[in-house]
Amino acid sequence: MPSRNANPIEQPTVENIDLSSILVALSEPVRLGIVAALASHDGDVACGTFDLPVAKSTSSHHFKVLRESGVMHQYDEGTRRLNRLRRADLDARFPGLLDLIIAEGRQVVVPIIGP
Amino acid sequence: MPSRNANPIEQPTVENIDLSSILVALSEPVRLGIVAALASHDGDVACGTFDLPVAKSTSSHHFKVLRESGVMHQYDEGTRRLNRLRRADLDARFPGLLDLIIAEGRQVVVPIIGP
DNA sequence: CCTGATGTTCGATCAGCGTCGAACACGATG
DNA sequence: CATCGTGTTCGACGCTGATCGAACATCAGG
């Protein structure tokens, strides 16, 4: 549940994104797959739309790590939580990194169900 | 001890370097520091020359991970084992990645003792 | 040949992280 | 108001990885 008032969605500002956190976040196969899938998809994608090989709670954990490391931005829309890659921010901070991830991360197939 | 005949120094060929292994290798603070220190130093550096905050055996483990992931090349010289960044290989495989690591990894201060 | 320097290897330990199910929270829908 | 769909949170569990000390291997030098 996108808890509105309860737990605010926290994410680092652009200048506060640090590489170590990014590396830790992306060194996990599931998370790398999420990023690659999200990158090769137009528009924002809800958490549940990813076909991940883990339980819901685990999935939620991974999204949290990705958000807090600054890889993606999350916002609530009704009952769903949408994800958006922080392309501009990442490119500004670490030029070329995202492209490498995307290019290589496609090997990890993470289907996205529906639109 | 650089065991010559016993345990051959194994490392991936250029085309066999994969990003996931690199990310895993560099997501560890000590290893990230080693790479940064090695990068900002001219010439090859022996393992013991790094002033690391861990035991010898742990250090040896980290160097092994770095070598097997394809980040660095190792070779024996007398009783010492020298390390060299695989700059060309990494740049060919993942353009820009190493530069990002170096630039950001300097925050992790890892002194190099002596020449 | 003995000694010191340099690393590796081998267990063992310990903390952290990925994992899960169950319970909960919130919005949408009827 | 009741129900369903979507995520989060909370303990608990297990496994992997970082860590260490001790023992060993190799080379260099006296």
Side-chain angles (χ1 to χ4, degrees):
Chain A
M1 59 31 166
S3 52
R4 300 224 176 285
N5 37 4
N7 187 18
I9 304 183
E10 297 188 9
Q11 47 191 328
T13 56
V14 195
E15 60 272 9
N16 276 18
I17 302 180
D18 86 306
L19 188 56
S20 292
S21 305
I22 299 283
L23 293 176
V24 169
L26 298 181
S27 62
E28 214 288 329
V30 175
R31 292 195 287 261
L32 184 60
I34 292 177
V35 173
L38 186 55
S40 55
H41 189 273
D42 257 21
D44 306 344
V45 180
C47 294
T49 310
F50 295 88
D51 188 21
L52 301 176
V54 294
K56 250 194 323 176
S57 51
T58 305
S59 171
S60 183
H61 165 67
H62 285 316
F63 279 107
K64 183 179 181 181
V65 173
L66 286 172
R67 163 172 41 91
E68 293 184 340
S69 69
V71 173
M72 53 175 49
H73 166 72
Q74 287 189 317
Y75 62 97
D76 293 336
E77 192 179 271
T79 172
R80 302 188 311 166
R81 178 160 288 187
L82 298 185
N83 302 277
R84 175 182 307 180
L85 263 188
R86 297 180 65 176
R87 281 188 180 278
D89 291 343
L90 290 176
D91 284 348
R93 204 81 180 67
F94 313 110
L97 179 58
L98 192 54
D99 291 335
L100 293 174
I101 303 298
I102 296 172
E104 202 70 10
R106 267 193 237 284
Q107 301 176 356
V108 187
V109 184
V110 174
I112 293 185
I113 310 172
Chain B
M1 61 27 170
S3 53
R4 299 223 176 286
N5 36 6
N7 187 17
I9 303 183
E10 297 188 9
Q11 48 191 326
T13 58
V14 194
E15 60 273 9
N16 275 20
I17 300 180
D18 87 304
L19 188 57
S20 293
S21 305
I22 299 284
L23 293 176
V24 170
L26 297 182
S27 62
E28 213 288 330
V30 175
R31 291 195 288 261
L32 185 59
I34 292 176
V35 173
L38 185 55
S40 54
H41 190 272
D42 256 23
D44 306 345
V45 180
C47 294
T49 311
F50 295 89
D51 187 22
L52 301 175
V54 293
K56 253 195 320 178
S57 51
T58 304
S59 170
S60 183
H61 164 66
H62 285 316
F63 280 108
K64 183 179 181 183
V65 172
L66 286 172
R67 163 172 40 92
E68 292 183 341
S69 68
V71 173
M72 52 174 51
H73 166 72
Q74 288 188 316
Y75 63 97
D76 293 335
E77 194 179 89
T79 172
R80 302 188 311 165
R81 179 159 288 187
L82 297 185
N83 302 277
R84 174 183 306 179
L85 263 188
R86 296 180 65 177
R87 281 186 179 279
D89 292 342
L90 290 177
D91 284 347
R93 202 84 179 68
F94 313 110
L97 179 59
L98 192 53
D99 291 335
L100 293 175
I101 303 298
I102 296 172
E104 203 70 9
R106 268 194 238 282
Q107 301 175 355
V108 188
V109 184
V110 174
I112 293 185
I113 310 170

